[in-house]
Amino acid sequence: MGDLYKSRWEIEVFYRDIKQLLHIKTFIGTSKNAVMIQIWTALITILLLKVMKETAKFGWHLSNLVAFIRLDIFVKIELQKWLDSPFMEPKPPQNIV
């Protein structure tokens, strides 16, 4: 019985992360297809963020990682290097001729 409760609790935490970190409060569309697209997009996004957090050498908290990605979403960087050491000064890209 304890294992069942623990599994249920992990699912609750997962959905809490989706709601809080991705700021999903309501569904944009109302059709079944629109709702399903939003749910799948949120699931894929949160899973990718958790994989990035786990592969990074830097000790990210998931909420901090999400906040920094929001700030740097359109900055051209090498993602894994940034995940490993986010506060290092990036080297300018080398021009290849």
Side-chain angles (χ1 to χ4, degrees), residues 56-72:
K57 293 177 185 170
F58 185 77
W60 288 101
H61 291 280
L62 193 56
S63 59
N64 291 345
L65 178 60
V66 171
F68 272 85
I69 287 178
R70 276 195 183 108
L71 291 173
D72 294 335

Side-chain angles (χ1 to χ4, degrees), residues 14-69:
F14 183 74
Y15 281 105
R16 183 204 65 205
D17 286 346
I18 288 173
K19 285 177 68 177
Q20 289 180 349
L21 297 174
L22 302 180
H23 299 284
I24 297 173
K25 305 295 182 206
T26 60
F27 291 110
I28 297 170
T30 56
S31 71
K32 179 182 176 184
N33 189 47
V35 170
M36 292 303 289
I37 288 171
Q38 282 186 265
I39 290 171
W40 279 108
T41 302
L43 288 172
I44 291 167
T45 302
I46 202 74
L47 288 172
L48 285 172
L49 288 166
K50 287 186 178 212
V51 166
M52 290 184 341
K53 176 187 176 291
E54 292 302 317
T55 60
K57 293 177 185 170
F58 185 77
W60 288 101
H61 291 280
L62 193 56
S63 59
N64 291 345
L65 178 60
V66 171
F68 272 85
I69 287 178

Side-chain angles (χ1 to χ4, degrees), residues 62-95:
L62 193 56
S63 59
N64 291 345
L65 178 60
V66 171
F68 272 85
I69 287 178
R70 276 195 183 108
L71 291 173
D72 294 335
I73 193 77
F74 294 111
V75 176
K76 187 175 181 179
I77 55 172
E78 289 186 48
L79 184 58
Q80 192 62 51
K81 286 184 181 179
W82 178 81
L83 287 170
D84 292 341
S85 53
F87 300 110
M88 297 294 292
E89 188 68 32
K91 294 179 183 177
Q94 299 293 326
N95 291 334

